[in-house]
Amino acid sequence: MPPQSAPRRNSSGLARDIEILDLLGGGEAMREGGLGVLRVAQLTGRDKAAISRALATLADAALIERDDATQLYRLGGRLYALAARTLESRMVAICRPYLKRVAQSTRETTHLCVLRGGNVLTIMSELSPHEFRTTGWEGVTTAAWRTPSGRVLLSDWDRSSLERWYAEHGHDLPIVGPADPLMTEAGFSVLPTPPADKAVITDFDTLLEELSRIRSQGFALLDEELEGGVVGASAPVFDLNGRIIAAINVSAPKIRMGDRLPTLGRYVAEAAAALSEQLGASLGASLDMAPEVSRPR
């Protein structure tokens, strides 16, 4: 007779904690802005003191948080961060063929970007086949206000969230880290500040104007704001709930793509919409080749 395996430690406690997390992610908690200790005890049929201790433990781990004004508990930032990383892993696996197809069609360097710590992290790059090309930024964090991908990633935020973000990050340096600040493989260098005649974001009001424009046209454009001689286009990737979770960005030398930026923007938006549908969004998108973009010059 095979030996019996030892029971899992704290399995019953874990099951009870998961039950609490399920309740805090449920409809009642969403409608009410959270649940109090007494209500969680009622819904679980458990002792109020035990629920209070469990909620405190989960809060200490940042899996849930308590509103000081209402004393209600809701799901916490760490739980969302863990979920986002899981989604990012799935997204990276799904996205590689899309990025390759966009890079092949446009013949320009293509990136997948996400928000991390209030700024933009490039999690994947596909390089242009041209010898003269922009560089990959994989693993590099850049200031969101300086990049089209950053502005796209902020474009579904409400005003109060944007105000808090701008107060903290609206003047961040172009390269947040980690990277050599002069990525000069192709002869381009990061500009410490945007040229006066190229700057799109100069204050909070111009940020709001640009985000409104992005929502209206479905993509953002870049014209030598971050790197001299470099242009680009970025568009949002949505999840099944319609939230922006990533951005596809294409960057190129201005001498090769500068007069076709709006066309590039529309194509990148099509590519991002097709990826969104693959991730569960309902946008009615399809990804077609774009000869007017991909035609080499």
Side-chain angles (χ1 to χ4, degrees):
M1 183 175 181
Q4 291 184 343
S5 58
R8 293 182 181 179
R9 295 174 58 191
N10 299 322
S11 60
S12 59
L14 176 60
R16 289 195 293 266
D17 288 344
I18 291 173
E19 182 183 20
I20 292 174
L21 293 175
D22 281 340
L23 288 172
L24 295 181
E28 181 178 342
M30 295 296 103
R31 290 192 303 272
E32 302 298 328
L35 298 174
V37 174
L38 180 59
R39 184 57 178 155
V40 175
Q42 291 172 339
L43 292 171
T44 59
R46 293 168 56 192
D47 177 71
K48 180 181 174 182
I51 288 296
S52 181
R53 289 192 297 270
L55 289 169
T57 299
L58 291 169
D60 286 343
L63 295 174
I64 65 174
E65 59 189 21
R66 188 179 70 167
D67 187 307
D68 291 335
T70 65
Q71 304 296 302
L72 300 180
Y73 287 89
R74 54 180 176 248
L75 297 180
R78 186 179 182 188
L79 195 63
Y80 287 114
L82 291 171
R85 291 179 187 179
T86 300
L87 181 59
E88 281 177 19
S89 297
R90 176 173 176 258
M91 182 168 58
V92 166
I94 294 173
C95 188
R96 180 72 70 183
Y98 284 84
L99 245 61
K100 285 184 176 180
R101 188 171 182 182
V102 172
Q104 290 168 358
S105 179
T106 63
R107 296 181 62 78
E108 302 298 350
T109 301
T110 306
H111 317 275
L112 182 68
C113 306
V114 297
L115 270 184
R116 187 70 59 75
N119 281 305
V120 178
L121 174 66
T122 300
I123 59 177
M124 186 188 304
S125 293
E126 286 288 335
L127 296 181
S128 163
H130 290 292
E131 183 176 349
F132 180 55
R133 65 193 181 195
T134 61
T135 57
W137 290 72
E138 195 164 335
V140 179
T141 302
T142 52
W145 72 278
R146 287 287 302 273
T147 64
S149 54
R151 296 163 193 168
V152 161
L153 289 164
L154 295 170
S155 63
D156 66 344
W157 287 28
D158 62 74
R159 184 185 178 108
S160 62
S161 298
L162 287 169
E163 287 175 342
R164 291 192 296 272
W165 173 88
Y166 189 79
E168 183 175 357
H169 297 290
H171 299 88
D172 284 350
L173 295 175
I175 304 297
V176 181
D180 178 351
L182 299 178
M183 301 170 69
T184 56
E185 177 184 322
F188 304 112
S189 60
V190 175
L191 304 172
T193 58
D197 62 334
K198 301 292 186 181
V200 172
I201 308 300
T202 57
D203 55 23
F204 184 68
D205 288 338
T206 53
L207 172 67
L208 293 180
E209 291 172 6
E210 174 64 5
L211 299 187
S212 177
R213 183 161 41 247
I214 292 168
R215 287 191 292 270
S216 175
Q217 66 187 13
F219 56 86
L221 300 178
L222 174 84
D223 186 358
E224 296 188 285
E225 276 187 88
L226 184 65
E227 299 172 272
V230 174
V231 298
S234 187
V237 176
F238 297 89
D239 68 6
L240 57 85
N241 296 310
R243 295 173 298 192
I244 296 174
I245 55 171
I248 292 180
N249 184 76
V250 176
S251 59
K254 185 168 184 174
I255 60 171
R256 197 160 60 224
M257 190 62 76
D259 62 350
R260 290 178 288 162
L261 265 182
T263 301
L264 178 64
R266 289 189 291 272
Y267 177 66
V268 174
E270 290 177 9
L275 175 58
S276 299
E277 290 214 332
Q278 185 70 23
L279 294 170
S282 299
L283 303 176
S286 62
L287 176 56
D288 299 318
M289 302 303 283
E292 70 274 20
V293 173
S294 63
R295 184 174 60 248
R297 304 183 73 186

